[in-house]
Amino acid sequence: MRAFVLTGYGAIADNVRLAQLPDPVAASGEVLVEIHAASLNPIDFKIVHGDLKRVSKYKLPRPFGFDASGIVKSAGVGAGRFKPGDAVYLRTSRDTIGTFADQIAVDEKFVALEPFSVSHAQAASLPLVGLTTVQGFARAGARAGQRILIHAGSGGVGTFAVQYARHRGLHVTSTTSSKNADFVRSLGADRVIAYDRQNYLEQGSGYDIVYDTLGGAFTIDAFALVKRGGTVISLSGPPDRDFARREGDQLRDIAALVDSGAIKPVIDREFAFERLPDALSYLEAGRARGKVVLKVR
């Protein structure tokens, strides 16, 4: 099969290459998925740059990528949730990354039937941002009526988080550029702070939840904006192993939200499979409105 592999750490152009690898086989409890689309996340280029070497130590070269959608080809012994031909979407664990490829064999607990109302590209855009948001809100005890600040409401995580917070009945404030302000309002933000015209640190505090999608100084500053007893959710680290047990169930819940119209996938741009390095560089530039997706088939 074709797969992009990480060969070292550093510049994207020097450490990401397309390789021909043996076809994977579904082991016990796994399903083999023919990948039709895969989406990119900031953690992907952070892995390439070596930012997470102390947390996730990979033996190189190796495939990478977290999100995908496609068709089940076969199931291993003991895997009974899916059958060949099922359209599914998935998020791998940080130990089983490898979605920038033609196929992947993955534990069925990381897989769910994809929303029936969207394309493979739209389905692939959802898993990591959706699970991160659902799990973060659960950990924060988010509930209707609370005030939440969501950074970068027009980004890959933000476009999902704003819609999900609106669905959950929270009062949503979001930061974005002035050119994207109306777009973020259309997603459900009650208030938008245009960072190129306003200093968000001077626009009020006392939030029940601050959803930090950017890391760095934004994480530190979040604690000055959240009220006493409130919660800061930061996405600066890799996916959390603790939630893997319920991942398939949560993906099914997300699919139901999409099919009901509560959440609409937002894709900024689709790249041909062979252009993964270009797609990673584009995402890293930080101007994507929504998700960046790789068209595998």
Side-chain angles (χ1 to χ4, degrees):
M1 70 169 184
R2 299 176 306 162
F4 274 97
V5 296
L6 177 65
T7 59
Y9 297 111
I12 292 170
D14 297 332
N15 294 285
V16 176
R17 68 175 179 87
L18 186 58
Q20 194 69 32
L21 302 179
D23 290 345
V25 176
S28 177
E30 292 183 339
V31 291
L32 178 63
V33 178
E34 176 186 81
I35 296 174
H36 285 232
S39 73
L40 284 64
N41 298 283
I43 193 173
D44 298 318
F45 60 73
K46 291 179 182 179
I47 287 174
V48 175
H49 294 324
D51 296 345
L52 302 177
K53 283 192 294 185
R54 293 183 179 180
V55 178
S56 299
K57 297 181 180 180
Y58 297 120
K59 182 179 179 181
L60 305 181
R62 68 156 299 142
F64 67 115
F66 283 87
D67 287 343
S69 68
I71 303 297
V72 173
K73 294 187 67 177
S74 62
V77 175
R81 297 182 185 178
F82 307 98
K83 64 183 185 301
D86 282 345
V88 297
Y89 72 147
L90 60 96
R91 190 208 81 174
T92 67
S93 71
R94 70 191 194 200
D95 299 319
T96 59
I97 56 175
T99 58
F100 300 143
D102 286 328
Q103 303 176 63
I104 189 169
V106 62
D107 194 305
E108 66 176 0
K109 70 184 178 184
F110 298 119
V111 182
L113 295 176
E114 68 180 42
F116 65 79
S117 59
V118 301
S119 66
H120 281 301
Q122 290 172 312
S125 75
L126 294 165
L128 185 56
V129 297
L131 288 166
T132 299
T133 300
V134 169
Q135 293 167 0
F137 277 45
R139 180 166 283 179
R143 59 188 184 275
Q146 288 185 317
R147 298 175 64 236
I148 185 171
L149 172 64
I150 299 173
H151 280 303
S154 62
V157 179
T159 50
F160 186 99
V162 169
Q163 294 182 79
Y164 186 69
R166 176 200 59 188
H167 171 73
R168 293 287 303 272
L170 281 77
H171 183 280
V172 182
T173 297
S174 182
T175 62
T176 190
S177 65
S178 54
K179 71 176 182 179
N180 286 324
D182 288 342
F183 169 67
V184 174
R185 289 189 188 96
S186 76
L187 296 175
D190 299 286
R191 182 188 179 209
V192 173
I193 300 172
Y195 63 76
D196 51 345
R197 294 181 179 177
Q198 302 166 291
N199 182 345
Y200 78 96
L201 293 172
E202 299 173 353
Q203 301 301 311
S205 59
Y207 294 100
D208 297 286
I209 302 170
V210 175
Y211 195 37
D212 163 38
T213 64
L214 299 171
F218 291 92
T219 306
I220 304 302
D221 291 340
F223 291 94
L225 297 176
V226 73
K227 75 178 187 180
R228 183 180 294 274
T231 305
V232 173
I233 305 171
S234 177
L235 308 188
S236 58
D240 193 333
R241 287 190 179 97
D242 293 343
F243 286 96
R245 295 186 302 276
R246 292 198 56 235
E247 190 163 301
D249 294 337
Q250 290 167 336
L251 283 173
R252 284 191 288 275
D253 292 343
I254 291 167
L257 289 175
V258 173
D259 287 331
S260 73
I263 301 287
K264 297 184 185 301
V266 179
I267 295 178
D268 175 89
R269 187 171 173 183
E270 297 181 24
F271 284 80
F273 179 71
E274 295 79 7
R275 295 188 61 201
L276 174 63
D278 294 334
L280 287 167
S281 297
Y282 177 76
L283 178 64
E284 188 175 13
R287 294 181 174 84
R289 190 165 86 168
K291 292 300 297 291
V292 176
V293 175
L294 204 62
K295 298 181 292 185
V296 182
R297 280 181 175 77

